[in-house]
Amino acid sequence: MIKIGIIGLPNVGKSTLFNAITNSSVEAENYPFATIDPNISIIEIKDKRVDFLADTYKSKIKKYNKIQFFDIAGLVKNAHKGEGLGNKFLNNIKEVDAIIHLIRGFSDEKIIHVEKNLNPLRDLKIINLELIFSDLEQTENWLNRNKKKSSSSPNNKEDQELVALMRKVKSLLEREVFLFEHFFTEQEEKILKGFNFLTLKPFFYVINISEEELINGLNNETKDFISNYLIKNNLNYEIISAKFEFEISKLDEDSKKEFLNEFSLKENGLNLITEKIFKIANMETFFTAGPKEVRAWAIKKGTFAPAAAGEIHSDIERGFIKAEVISYNDFKKTPDEKILKEKGLISLQGKDYIVKDGDICNFKFNV
């Protein structure tokens, strides 16, 4: 299951977006710090491929991929110094796979802006700085606890390299560099993943606009921010109206389509967000299918067959022998395993096979 954190200043629409994503009912009020404890919810990602496989195999059960969302309290400028509610809530998203940074792109005098006026770039920098300070505090604490490690074991190359790596991390953060922007070796990345640094995680920006701006176009401040900063710096982003998304989240599918057509929208923003999540988190989907159950499984791109099998059960990974693999595209054209086998479109793959998005896998194992 993929885990996603939602962050931002207070009153940018985080709880409204969370409500829309999860179709749940959490507090979304017009005052800062309405969210104290993190709101957590799990949603299924409806996948037409699962539906097709279930119909073809006449499966009794179908299971989609899932995303778990964590909506944490709004951060303010100098939260790391204790302003507002502080930045301790960032600990609630230390173990997420990716981060959504929600930015206010709408003007509304009725909804308080903690910084008094609309300025998306300033707001972005405030939150980014809090992420940096959170990682910096963690790094400095580690170095303080381990400051004797390199001097007490001068002949231990591993200790020396680890301390050097953490000093490099500290230097980058002090220069306000996000860790994902720096090139680390494969071994360094493996080590750093164990620290769950926030600035090392994949993330993207979601610009929350009003329903009026959805119809009539963006205000100048938001338009300039997108073109002169996000696009210019090749950053991942989506534009949505959280209020609009919340309203249509309560509709059935037919009514939802009518609503989207009325606003001349091809797709709702939440679908775009879930697609973006898979992309930035570097995730793919493979399937297991049969009369009993069809199920989607999320894996990192580049996952070898035994590790993919391990997502199902550790015993399957441990006793992995081979994988029977069918491409979903081939199966959709010819939904008959017997014919696919005759055409040579069912392959037997070993431990060095990298599972691809859309693969339908039947793992052979012996424990």
Side-chain angles (χ1 to χ4, degrees), residues 277-290:
I277 285 169
F278 262 74
K279 185 176 179 181
I280 69 157
N282 207 27
M283 304 295 286
E284 292 182 326
T285 300
F286 78 90
F287 305 98
T288 51

Side-chain angles (χ1 to χ4, degrees), residues 193-237:
K193 278 181 182 177
F195 288 87
N196 283 322
F197 287 122
L198 294 172
T199 63
L200 194 61
K201 294 181 185 295
F203 75 100
F204 66 100
Y205 299 105
V206 174
I207 319 304
N208 184 19
I209 63 173
S210 67
E211 291 176 292
E212 291 74 23
E213 288 161 332
L214 196 63
I215 301 167
N216 302 319
L218 302 174
N219 59 64
N220 290 333
E221 291 89 345
T222 302
K223 194 184 297 181
D224 289 346
F225 166 65
I226 290 169
S227 60
N228 295 330
Y229 186 78
L230 296 180
I231 294 176
K232 189 175 180 181
N233 290 287
N234 198 29
L235 297 170
N236 285 305
Y237 74 95

Side-chain angles (χ1 to χ4, degrees), residues 253-344:
E253 287 305 313
D254 290 337
S255 300
K256 197 176 288 186
K257 286 177 183 176
E258 289 179 18
F259 218 67
L260 290 171
N261 288 334
E262 189 178 328
F263 280 79
S264 301
L265 297 172
K266 293 181 181 178
E267 195 170 7
N268 69 356
L270 298 185
N271 287 347
L272 296 174
I273 286 175
T274 54
E275 287 174 14
K276 185 79 79 175
I277 285 169
F278 262 74
K279 185 176 179 181
I280 69 157
N282 207 27
M283 304 295 286
E284 292 182 326
T285 300
F286 78 90
F287 305 98
T288 51
K292 184 179 177 181
E293 177 186 277
V294 166
R295 183 162 179 169
W297 303 87
I299 54 170
K300 287 283 186 183
K301 283 184 181 178
T303 298
F304 288 98
E311 291 295 316
I312 302 170
H313 199 285
S314 57
D315 284 349
I316 305 177
E317 180 176 9
R318 186 161 54 91
F320 178 89
I321 300 171
K322 292 284 182 181
E324 281 186 350
V325 181
I326 308 170
S327 161
Y328 173 81
N329 291 333
D330 289 338
F331 187 84
K332 190 175 182 182
K333 292 175 188 173
T334 312
D336 187 310
E337 288 191 16
K338 186 178 178 181
I339 297 173
L340 287 168
K341 188 168 279 189
E342 289 171 357
K343 290 184 174 182

Side-chain angles (χ1 to χ4, degrees), residues 4-7 17 21 69 98-102 204 206 273 277:
I4 303 297
I6 305 174
I7 63 172
L17 175 64
I21 288 172
F69 288 95
I99 294 171
I100 292 174
H101 180 170
L102 188 64
F204 66 100
V206 174
I273 286 175
I277 285 169

